Amino acid sequence: MKNFIFFMLVGLFFCACSPYNTQITREYDTQHYMQTYKTLQEATTSKSNDWLLWKMQSGFLTFEYFGAHFSLYDLETAEQQFKIYESQGLLSGLGANIGATLSNDMAIPYRGLIFEGVFLNFYKALAFSSIGDNVQARIEFNRANDRQRRAKDYYSKEIKKVHDKTIEEANQKTKSEDYATNTTDSNLNAILNSKYTNLKQFAVYQDIINPLVLYVSGLYFMIEEDFAKSTDLLKEAYGISKAPLIAQDMQLLESRKGKRAYPKYTWIIIEDGNLGRKDEASMSLPLIIGSGINAINLALPILYDGKPTYTTYRVNQVEANMVSNISNLFASEFEKQLPSIITRAIVGALVKFGITQSINELGGDYGAIIGVATTVAFSATTAADTRTSLILPHNVWIARVPNTESEVHIYGNNIELLELPITKECNGKTTRMASKEAFDSLIKAKPKDFSARIKFFKHYYEEGNEDKLCVLSDNIIYMRVHHDTIAHTIVKGE
């Protein structure tokens, strides 16, 4: 009976499904962003397994819908934790907790993906840029690009470590040659090729480098007249995306060299749609157990492609270029993590199978009852890790118009979405700086008053603080399109 109680407690303890996941998903998908923000803040008041996920989502949501400069508080806090996990190994949690093997990967703290960590630095760079802190903006752009350049080598080293650690941890519980036998490269590749055929269709960023980050970084450094650095970044961005505007911007960069004055432009970055999301699939696989083969049921995550809101964009009379498909980027990194995820699922299934078999061998009514109860407990807690970034976009578009035009009109599928005048009223950066200081003071005075923050966001936009562009400076507008919602924030310009 003691064994029965132990296993039941393990199952209940490690069934770590987030109580917030359904609520946050529903609120965001139905475009209740203020309520989503409040729920996210409540979800991060305690350090649950999903703390990093919700803190990142709060930073992303604030950047995209409430104003870049207000997002720094959550982005910086999230990145501090992400760096800790990154240094330990983003996959290390998949092999370091054999107790969770008796349940599911939801029992492991969410550690994030490299492309999410890159977005933390990238959005921080744009947030600092929006308030004119060019020292910190430069640092964050460099960190974002360095982080994604290390991604490929990072995973090539981590995957082997996680495989060995998973088997080592399992053997500490119950020694078996079946763990290594069923998780060879050939076995894992066979599962990938048979169960994840759709993934190959959109896992195209094999180096996990986001051309959006390269492009906007290069754009920023061009505006700051660091032409050498800008040239390298724009070249790399064009090499991946082949977006015509990037080639045109490289020509614009050359035309600015050696000049003290030149025509000014406004760039528009448009984030569109819903990022791809994970779901659960039950799969029956033949596994070698001892001298025989048994069909074992596994719960594994699968990835569905993202959903766009519009399929074309135009700014004034200029057709926008798609510069990056974030869902494809997600798929590329998910593909690299899959061998470790499948290894853990197989080893976990074998550990559970072995425990159940040992109990059944006790014999008599006692063994039969405990065996059935243990099987039920393990079945109830077997689940795939489907935790996913909800807020990031499906894809990103870019366009540029000269400041000689009096207005910026942005269209999705030829429907006008946003209109902003280009004027001589050039006090936007000063206003953003002042509002950032006021927001920081509010958080310090009322750290748990989430409703007060929401009122602050609403008041900022009701005052029209993001509704005009300066004719005298180069400007960058960051725009978010999600269902019927159109939000924008100015990340560069006076």
PDB file of all heavy atoms in Angstrom, residues 68-70 72 127-134 427-441 456 460 465-466 490 493-494:
ATOM      1  N   ALA A  68       6.171  50.382 -26.704  1.00  0.00           N
ATOM      2  CA  ALA A  68       7.477  49.733 -26.550  1.00  0.00           C
ATOM      3  C   ALA A  68       8.147  50.102 -25.235  1.00  0.00           C
ATOM      4  O   ALA A  68       8.673  49.236 -24.519  1.00  0.00           O
ATOM      5  CB  ALA A  68       8.378  50.115 -27.721  1.00  0.00           C
ATOM      6  N   HIS A  69       8.133  51.387 -24.885  1.00  0.00           N
ATOM      7  CA  HIS A  69       8.888  51.848 -23.720  1.00  0.00           C
ATOM      8  C   HIS A  69       8.304  51.369 -22.393  1.00  0.00           C
ATOM      9  O   HIS A  69       8.984  51.401 -21.372  1.00  0.00           O
ATOM     10  CB  HIS A  69       9.017  53.369 -23.733  1.00  0.00           C
ATOM     11  CG  HIS A  69       7.728  54.113 -23.897  1.00  0.00           C
ATOM     12  ND1 HIS A  69       6.919  53.956 -24.997  1.00  0.00           N
ATOM     13  CD2 HIS A  69       7.113  55.025 -23.113  1.00  0.00           C
ATOM     14  CE1 HIS A  69       5.860  54.740 -24.885  1.00  0.00           C
ATOM     15  NE2 HIS A  69       5.946  55.385 -23.748  1.00  0.00           N
ATOM     16  N   PHE A  70       7.044  50.906 -22.391  1.00  0.00           N
ATOM     17  CA  PHE A  70       6.460  50.377 -21.169  1.00  0.00           C
ATOM     18  C   PHE A  70       6.814  48.902 -20.949  1.00  0.00           C
ATOM     19  O   PHE A  70       6.545  48.343 -19.888  1.00  0.00           O
ATOM     20  CB  PHE A  70       4.928  50.507 -21.215  1.00  0.00           C
ATOM     21  CG  PHE A  70       4.436  51.921 -21.311  1.00  0.00           C
ATOM     22  CD1 PHE A  70       3.445  52.255 -22.213  1.00  0.00           C
ATOM     23  CD2 PHE A  70       4.968  52.924 -20.514  1.00  0.00           C
ATOM     24  CE1 PHE A  70       2.975  53.562 -22.316  1.00  0.00           C
ATOM     25  CE2 PHE A  70       4.516  54.235 -20.604  1.00  0.00           C
ATOM     26  CZ  PHE A  70       3.516  54.551 -21.515  1.00  0.00           C
ATOM     27  N   LEU A  72       9.801  47.435 -20.951  1.00  0.00           N
ATOM     28  CA  LEU A  72      11.133  47.132 -20.429  1.00  0.00           C
ATOM     29  C   LEU A  72      11.096  46.435 -19.076  1.00  0.00           C
ATOM     30  O   LEU A  72      11.924  45.560 -18.800  1.00  0.00           O
ATOM     31  CB  LEU A  72      11.963  48.419 -20.326  1.00  0.00           C
ATOM     32  CG  LEU A  72      12.566  48.898 -21.644  1.00  0.00           C
ATOM     33  CD1 LEU A  72      13.077  50.329 -21.514  1.00  0.00           C
ATOM     34  CD2 LEU A  72      13.686  47.972 -22.092  1.00  0.00           C
ATOM     35  N   ALA A 127      12.746  49.216 -27.447  1.00  0.00           N
ATOM     36  CA  ALA A 127      12.191  50.008 -26.349  1.00  0.00           C
ATOM     37  C   ALA A 127      13.178  51.092 -25.909  1.00  0.00           C
ATOM     38  O   ALA A 127      12.796  52.249 -25.689  1.00  0.00           O
ATOM     39  CB  ALA A 127      11.833  49.097 -25.176  1.00  0.00           C
ATOM     40  N   PHE A 128      14.453  50.731 -25.787  1.00  0.00           N
ATOM     41  CA  PHE A 128      15.460  51.742 -25.433  1.00  0.00           C
ATOM     42  C   PHE A 128      15.585  52.776 -26.547  1.00  0.00           C
ATOM     43  O   PHE A 128      15.734  53.977 -26.290  1.00  0.00           O
ATOM     44  CB  PHE A 128      16.815  51.072 -25.178  1.00  0.00           C
ATOM     45  CG  PHE A 128      16.937  50.435 -23.824  1.00  0.00           C
ATOM     46  CD1 PHE A 128      17.222  49.083 -23.689  1.00  0.00           C
ATOM     47  CD2 PHE A 128      16.787  51.198 -22.676  1.00  0.00           C
ATOM     48  CE1 PHE A 128      17.335  48.489 -22.443  1.00  0.00           C
ATOM     49  CE2 PHE A 128      16.903  50.618 -21.402  1.00  0.00           C
ATOM     50  CZ  PHE A 128      17.180  49.257 -21.299  1.00  0.00           C
ATOM     51  N   SER A 129      15.529  52.325 -27.795  1.00  0.00           N
ATOM     52  CA  SER A 129      15.586  53.255 -28.924  1.00  0.00           C
ATOM     53  C   SER A 129      14.446  54.268 -28.870  1.00  0.00           C
ATOM     54  O   SER A 129      14.632  55.450 -29.176  1.00  0.00           O
ATOM     55  CB  SER A 129      15.532  52.472 -30.241  1.00  0.00           C
ATOM     56  OG  SER A 129      15.362  53.337 -31.344  1.00  0.00           O
ATOM     57  N   SER A 130      13.268  53.800 -28.468  1.00  0.00           N
ATOM     58  CA  SER A 130      12.093  54.679 -28.469  1.00  0.00           C
ATOM     59  C   SER A 130      12.239  55.857 -27.509  1.00  0.00           C
ATOM     60  O   SER A 130      11.647  56.907 -27.725  1.00  0.00           O
ATOM     61  CB  SER A 130      10.835  53.876 -28.107  1.00  0.00           C
ATOM     62  OG  SER A 130      10.803  53.538 -26.734  1.00  0.00           O
ATOM     63  N   ILE A 131      13.042  55.689 -26.445  1.00  0.00           N
ATOM     64  CA  ILE A 131      13.245  56.780 -25.492  1.00  0.00           C
ATOM     65  C   ILE A 131      14.611  57.432 -25.666  1.00  0.00           C
ATOM     66  O   ILE A 131      15.067  58.195 -24.806  1.00  0.00           O
ATOM     67  CB  ILE A 131      13.068  56.293 -24.036  1.00  0.00           C
ATOM     68  CG1 ILE A 131      13.991  55.120 -23.725  1.00  0.00           C
ATOM     69  CG2 ILE A 131      11.611  55.913 -23.795  1.00  0.00           C
ATOM     70  CD1 ILE A 131      13.946  54.657 -22.268  1.00  0.00           C
ATOM     71  N   GLY A 132      15.293  57.110 -26.764  1.00  0.00           N
ATOM     72  CA  GLY A 132      16.552  57.778 -27.089  1.00  0.00           C
ATOM     73  C   GLY A 132      17.758  57.285 -26.333  1.00  0.00           C
ATOM     74  O   GLY A 132      18.811  57.937 -26.346  1.00  0.00           O
ATOM     75  N   ASP A 133      17.660  56.121 -25.670  1.00  0.00           N
ATOM     76  CA  ASP A 133      18.809  55.559 -24.957  1.00  0.00           C
ATOM     77  C   ASP A 133      19.594  54.699 -25.951  1.00  0.00           C
ATOM     78  O   ASP A 133      19.475  53.470 -25.977  1.00  0.00           O
ATOM     79  CB  ASP A 133      18.348  54.734 -23.759  1.00  0.00           C
ATOM     80  CG  ASP A 133      19.514  54.318 -22.860  1.00  0.00           C
ATOM     81  OD1 ASP A 133      20.665  54.338 -23.331  1.00  0.00           O
ATOM     82  OD2 ASP A 133      19.266  53.955 -21.691  1.00  0.00           O
ATOM     83  N   ASN A 134      20.417  55.343 -26.744  1.00  0.00           N
ATOM     84  CA  ASN A 134      21.107  54.641 -27.827  1.00  0.00           C
ATOM     85  C   ASN A 134      22.239  53.751 -27.337  1.00  0.00           C
ATOM     86  O   ASN A 134      22.620  52.799 -28.029  1.00  0.00           O
ATOM     87  CB  ASN A 134      21.617  55.656 -28.851  1.00  0.00           C
ATOM     88  CG  ASN A 134      20.470  56.320 -29.600  1.00  0.00           C
ATOM     89  OD1 ASN A 134      19.497  55.665 -29.960  1.00  0.00           O
ATOM     90  ND2 ASN A 134      20.577  57.625 -29.811  1.00  0.00           N
ATOM     91  N   ASN A 427       8.014  66.210 -30.849  1.00  0.00           N
ATOM     92  CA  ASN A 427       8.267  66.063 -29.411  1.00  0.00           C
ATOM     93  C   ASN A 427       7.917  64.664 -28.914  1.00  0.00           C
ATOM     94  O   ASN A 427       7.749  64.440 -27.722  1.00  0.00           O
ATOM     95  CB  ASN A 427       7.466  67.102 -28.624  1.00  0.00           C
ATOM     96  CG  ASN A 427       5.973  66.951 -28.841  1.00  0.00           C
ATOM     97  OD1 ASN A 427       5.545  66.200 -29.721  1.00  0.00           O
ATOM     98  ND2 ASN A 427       5.177  67.661 -28.061  1.00  0.00           N
ATOM     99  N   GLY A 428       7.802  63.707 -29.834  1.00  0.00           N
ATOM    100  CA  GLY A 428       7.388  62.359 -29.457  1.00  0.00           C
ATOM    101  C   GLY A 428       8.350  61.673 -28.512  1.00  0.00           C
ATOM    102  O   GLY A 428       7.939  61.046 -27.532  1.00  0.00           O
ATOM    103  N   LYS A 429       9.650  61.776 -28.783  1.00  0.00           N
ATOM    104  CA  LYS A 429      10.630  61.093 -27.937  1.00  0.00           C
ATOM    105  C   LYS A 429      10.610  61.654 -26.518  1.00  0.00           C
ATOM    106  O   LYS A 429      10.683  60.901 -25.537  1.00  0.00           O
ATOM    107  CB  LYS A 429      12.024  61.218 -28.544  1.00  0.00           C
ATOM    108  CG  LYS A 429      13.091  60.449 -27.767  1.00  0.00           C
ATOM    109  CD  LYS A 429      14.399  60.388 -28.521  1.00  0.00           C
ATOM    110  CE  LYS A 429      15.077  61.748 -28.588  1.00  0.00           C
ATOM    111  NZ  LYS A 429      16.413  61.663 -29.222  1.00  0.00           N
ATOM    112  N   THR A 430      10.486  62.961 -26.406  1.00  0.00           N
ATOM    113  CA  THR A 430      10.420  63.593 -25.082  1.00  0.00           C
ATOM    114  C   THR A 430       9.214  63.095 -24.303  1.00  0.00           C
ATOM    115  O   THR A 430       9.301  62.801 -23.101  1.00  0.00           O
ATOM    116  CB  THR A 430      10.347  65.123 -25.226  1.00  0.00           C
ATOM    117  OG1 THR A 430      11.499  65.585 -25.932  1.00  0.00           O
ATOM    118  CG2 THR A 430      10.291  65.802 -23.866  1.00  0.00           C
ATOM    119  N   THR A 431       8.088  62.979 -24.973  1.00  0.00           N
ATOM    120  CA  THR A 431       6.868  62.480 -24.333  1.00  0.00           C
ATOM    121  C   THR A 431       7.043  61.036 -23.888  1.00  0.00           C
ATOM    122  O   THR A 431       6.622  60.646 -22.792  1.00  0.00           O
ATOM    123  CB  THR A 431       5.673  62.579 -25.293  1.00  0.00           C
ATOM    124  OG1 THR A 431       5.519  63.950 -25.690  1.00  0.00           O
ATOM    125  CG2 THR A 431       4.398  62.097 -24.643  1.00  0.00           C
ATOM    126  N   ARG A 432       7.670  60.220 -24.727  1.00  0.00           N
ATOM    127  CA  ARG A 432       7.890  58.820 -24.363  1.00  0.00           C
ATOM    128  C   ARG A 432       8.809  58.696 -23.154  1.00  0.00           C
ATOM    129  O   ARG A 432       8.577  57.860 -22.269  1.00  0.00           O
ATOM    130  CB  ARG A 432       8.461  58.039 -25.558  1.00  0.00           C
ATOM    131  CG  ARG A 432       7.481  57.882 -26.714  1.00  0.00           C
ATOM    132  CD  ARG A 432       7.969  56.895 -27.753  1.00  0.00           C
ATOM    133  NE  ARG A 432       9.149  57.326 -28.473  1.00  0.00           N
ATOM    134  CZ  ARG A 432       9.126  58.074 -29.581  1.00  0.00           C
ATOM    135  NH1 ARG A 432       7.970  58.502 -30.073  1.00  0.00           N
ATOM    136  NH2 ARG A 432      10.256  58.398 -30.193  1.00  0.00           N
ATOM    137  N   MET A 433       9.846  59.514 -23.112  1.00  0.00           N
ATOM    138  CA  MET A 433      10.756  59.488 -21.975  1.00  0.00           C
ATOM    139  C   MET A 433      10.026  59.836 -20.680  1.00  0.00           C
ATOM    140  O   MET A 433      10.190  59.170 -19.656  1.00  0.00           O
ATOM    141  CB  MET A 433      11.918  60.451 -22.212  1.00  0.00           C
ATOM    142  CG  MET A 433      12.859  60.036 -23.329  1.00  0.00           C
ATOM    143  SD  MET A 433      14.050  61.333 -23.786  1.00  0.00           S
ATOM    144  CE  MET A 433      15.003  61.464 -22.275  1.00  0.00           C
ATOM    145  N   ALA A 434       9.203  60.878 -20.734  1.00  0.00           N
ATOM    146  CA  ALA A 434       8.463  61.309 -19.540  1.00  0.00           C
ATOM    147  C   ALA A 434       7.459  60.245 -19.096  1.00  0.00           C
ATOM    148  O   ALA A 434       7.306  59.973 -17.897  1.00  0.00           O
ATOM    149  CB  ALA A 434       7.753  62.629 -19.822  1.00  0.00           C
ATOM    150  N   SER A 435       6.775  59.624 -20.055  1.00  0.00           N
ATOM    151  CA  SER A 435       5.779  58.616 -19.701  1.00  0.00           C
ATOM    152  C   SER A 435       6.439  57.360 -19.140  1.00  0.00           C
ATOM    153  O   SER A 435       5.886  56.701 -18.252  1.00  0.00           O
ATOM    154  CB  SER A 435       4.910  58.280 -20.910  1.00  0.00           C
ATOM    155  OG  SER A 435       5.684  57.723 -21.948  1.00  0.00           O
ATOM    156  N   LYS A 436       7.616  57.023 -19.646  1.00  0.00           N
ATOM    157  CA  LYS A 436       8.356  55.874 -19.110  1.00  0.00           C
ATOM    158  C   LYS A 436       8.723  56.118 -17.644  1.00  0.00           C
ATOM    159  O   LYS A 436       8.576  55.233 -16.796  1.00  0.00           O
ATOM    160  CB  LYS A 436       9.625  55.647 -19.939  1.00  0.00           C
ATOM    161  CG  LYS A 436      10.636  54.652 -19.348  1.00  0.00           C
ATOM    162  CD  LYS A 436      10.109  53.225 -19.342  1.00  0.00           C
ATOM    163  CE  LYS A 436      11.215  52.211 -19.069  1.00  0.00           C
ATOM    164  NZ  LYS A 436      11.931  52.413 -17.814  1.00  0.00           N
ATOM    165  N   GLU A 437       9.181  57.315 -17.325  1.00  0.00           N
ATOM    166  CA  GLU A 437       9.523  57.649 -15.938  1.00  0.00           C
ATOM    167  C   GLU A 437       8.288  57.590 -15.044  1.00  0.00           C
ATOM    168  O   GLU A 437       8.343  57.082 -13.914  1.00  0.00           O
ATOM    169  CB  GLU A 437      10.158  59.038 -15.881  1.00  0.00           C
ATOM    170  CG  GLU A 437      11.537  59.110 -16.531  1.00  0.00           C
ATOM    171  CD  GLU A 437      12.103  60.521 -16.544  1.00  0.00           C
ATOM    172  OE1 GLU A 437      11.399  61.439 -16.063  1.00  0.00           O
ATOM    173  OE2 GLU A 437      13.228  60.703 -17.036  1.00  0.00           O
ATOM    174  N   ALA A 438       7.155  58.087 -15.555  1.00  0.00           N
ATOM    175  CA  ALA A 438       5.921  58.058 -14.777  1.00  0.00           C
ATOM    176  C   ALA A 438       5.447  56.624 -14.547  1.00  0.00           C
ATOM    177  O   ALA A 438       4.962  56.277 -13.455  1.00  0.00           O
ATOM    178  CB  ALA A 438       4.834  58.870 -15.490  1.00  0.00           C
ATOM    179  N   PHE A 439       5.592  55.772 -15.558  1.00  0.00           N
ATOM    180  CA  PHE A 439       5.186  54.376 -15.431  1.00  0.00           C
ATOM    181  C   PHE A 439       6.061  53.652 -14.416  1.00  0.00           C
ATOM    182  O   PHE A 439       5.559  52.880 -13.583  1.00  0.00           O
ATOM    183  CB  PHE A 439       5.267  53.691 -16.798  1.00  0.00           C
ATOM    184  CG  PHE A 439       4.803  52.268 -16.803  1.00  0.00           C
ATOM    185  CD1 PHE A 439       3.492  51.939 -16.491  1.00  0.00           C
ATOM    186  CD2 PHE A 439       5.682  51.235 -17.129  1.00  0.00           C
ATOM    187  CE1 PHE A 439       3.058  50.618 -16.506  1.00  0.00           C
ATOM    188  CE2 PHE A 439       5.253  49.915 -17.140  1.00  0.00           C
ATOM    189  CZ  PHE A 439       3.947  49.613 -16.831  1.00  0.00           C
ATOM    190  N   ASP A 440       7.365  53.887 -14.456  1.00  0.00           N
ATOM    191  CA  ASP A 440       8.272  53.276 -13.486  1.00  0.00           C
ATOM    192  C   ASP A 440       7.920  53.706 -12.065  1.00  0.00           C
ATOM    193  O   ASP A 440       7.969  52.895 -11.127  1.00  0.00           O
ATOM    194  CB  ASP A 440       9.717  53.654 -13.798  1.00  0.00           C
ATOM    195  CG  ASP A 440      10.235  52.991 -15.064  1.00  0.00           C
ATOM    196  OD1 ASP A 440       9.585  52.045 -15.542  1.00  0.00           O
ATOM    197  OD2 ASP A 440      11.283  53.436 -15.579  1.00  0.00           O
ATOM    198  N   SER A 441       7.562  54.967 -11.913  1.00  0.00           N
ATOM    199  CA  SER A 441       7.176  55.473 -10.585  1.00  0.00           C
ATOM    200  C   SER A 441       5.895  54.802 -10.103  1.00  0.00           C
ATOM    201  O   SER A 441       5.757  54.493  -8.907  1.00  0.00           O
ATOM    202  CB  SER A 441       6.976  56.996 -10.634  1.00  0.00           C
ATOM    203  OG  SER A 441       8.186  57.648 -10.964  1.00  0.00           O
ATOM    204  N   PHE A 456      -3.170  53.553 -16.972  1.00  0.00           N
ATOM    205  CA  PHE A 456      -2.054  54.360 -17.451  1.00  0.00           C
ATOM    206  C   PHE A 456      -1.869  54.164 -18.958  1.00  0.00           C
ATOM    207  O   PHE A 456      -1.703  55.125 -19.713  1.00  0.00           O
ATOM    208  CB  PHE A 456      -0.772  53.965 -16.708  1.00  0.00           C
ATOM    209  CG  PHE A 456       0.389  54.879 -16.946  1.00  0.00           C
ATOM    210  CD1 PHE A 456       0.697  55.897 -16.063  1.00  0.00           C
ATOM    211  CD2 PHE A 456       1.191  54.734 -18.085  1.00  0.00           C
ATOM    212  CE1 PHE A 456       1.774  56.740 -16.288  1.00  0.00           C
ATOM    213  CE2 PHE A 456       2.268  55.569 -18.319  1.00  0.00           C
ATOM    214  CZ  PHE A 456       2.553  56.577 -17.413  1.00  0.00           C
ATOM    215  N   TYR A 460      -2.401  57.067 -21.906  1.00  0.00           N
ATOM    216  CA  TYR A 460      -1.301  57.429 -22.800  1.00  0.00           C
ATOM    217  C   TYR A 460      -1.777  57.474 -24.251  1.00  0.00           C
ATOM    218  O   TYR A 460      -1.464  58.400 -24.994  1.00  0.00           O
ATOM    219  CB  TYR A 460      -0.165  56.420 -22.638  1.00  0.00           C
ATOM    220  CG  TYR A 460       1.000  56.639 -23.580  1.00  0.00           C
ATOM    221  CD1 TYR A 460       1.948  57.626 -23.329  1.00  0.00           C
ATOM    222  CD2 TYR A 460       1.148  55.862 -24.727  1.00  0.00           C
ATOM    223  CE1 TYR A 460       3.018  57.835 -24.194  1.00  0.00           C
ATOM    224  CE2 TYR A 460       2.204  56.057 -25.597  1.00  0.00           C
ATOM    225  CZ  TYR A 460       3.134  57.042 -25.323  1.00  0.00           C
ATOM    226  OH  TYR A 460       4.177  57.242 -26.187  1.00  0.00           O
ATOM    227  N   ASN A 465      -0.494  60.164 -28.107  1.00  0.00           N
ATOM    228  CA  ASN A 465       0.964  60.288 -28.048  1.00  0.00           C
ATOM    229  C   ASN A 465       1.709  59.518 -29.133  1.00  0.00           C
ATOM    230  O   ASN A 465       2.896  59.743 -29.335  1.00  0.00           O
ATOM    231  CB  ASN A 465       1.462  59.841 -26.668  1.00  0.00           C
ATOM    232  CG  ASN A 465       1.049  60.805 -25.579  1.00  0.00           C
ATOM    233  OD1 ASN A 465       1.265  62.004 -25.684  1.00  0.00           O
ATOM    234  ND2 ASN A 465       0.422  60.289 -24.537  1.00  0.00           N
ATOM    235  N   GLU A 466       1.046  58.593 -29.809  1.00  0.00           N
ATOM    236  CA  GLU A 466       1.701  57.816 -30.865  1.00  0.00           C
ATOM    237  C   GLU A 466       1.095  58.120 -32.236  1.00  0.00           C
ATOM    238  O   GLU A 466       1.268  57.331 -33.168  1.00  0.00           O
ATOM    239  CB  GLU A 466       1.583  56.319 -30.561  1.00  0.00           C
ATOM    240  CG  GLU A 466       2.189  55.893 -29.236  1.00  0.00           C
ATOM    241  CD  GLU A 466       3.703  55.715 -29.298  1.00  0.00           C
ATOM    242  OE1 GLU A 466       4.217  55.374 -30.367  1.00  0.00           O
ATOM    243  OE2 GLU A 466       4.361  55.921 -28.269  1.00  0.00           O
ATOM    244  N   ILE A 490       5.929  53.754 -31.752  1.00  0.00           N
ATOM    245  CA  ILE A 490       7.037  54.381 -32.482  1.00  0.00           C
ATOM    246  C   ILE A 490       8.341  54.041 -31.761  1.00  0.00           C
ATOM    247  O   ILE A 490       8.506  54.364 -30.592  1.00  0.00           O
ATOM    248  CB  ILE A 490       6.842  55.902 -32.595  1.00  0.00           C
ATOM    249  CG1 ILE A 490       5.556  56.194 -33.391  1.00  0.00           C
ATOM    250  CG2 ILE A 490       8.053  56.561 -33.272  1.00  0.00           C
ATOM    251  CD1 ILE A 490       5.146  57.642 -33.399  1.00  0.00           C
ATOM    252  N   GLY A 493      12.566  57.895 -33.773  1.00  0.00           N
ATOM    253  CA  GLY A 493      12.086  59.172 -34.300  1.00  0.00           C
ATOM    254  C   GLY A 493      11.923  60.208 -33.208  1.00  0.00           C
ATOM    255  O   GLY A 493      11.714  59.873 -32.038  1.00  0.00           O
ATOM    256  N   GLU A 494      12.011  61.463 -33.606  1.00  0.00           N
ATOM    257  CA  GLU A 494      11.903  62.556 -32.640  1.00  0.00           C
ATOM    258  C   GLU A 494      10.447  62.822 -32.282  1.00  0.00           C
ATOM    259  O   GLU A 494       9.527  62.433 -32.991  1.00  0.00           O
ATOM    260  CB  GLU A 494      12.548  63.810 -33.211  1.00  0.00           C
ATOM    261  CG  GLU A 494      14.046  63.660 -33.469  1.00  0.00           C
ATOM    262  CD  GLU A 494      14.835  63.336 -32.207  1.00  0.00           C
ATOM    263  OE1 GLU A 494      14.497  63.878 -31.129  1.00  0.00           O
ATOM    264  OE2 GLU A 494      15.786  62.527 -32.273  1.00  0.00           O
TER     265      GLU A 494
END
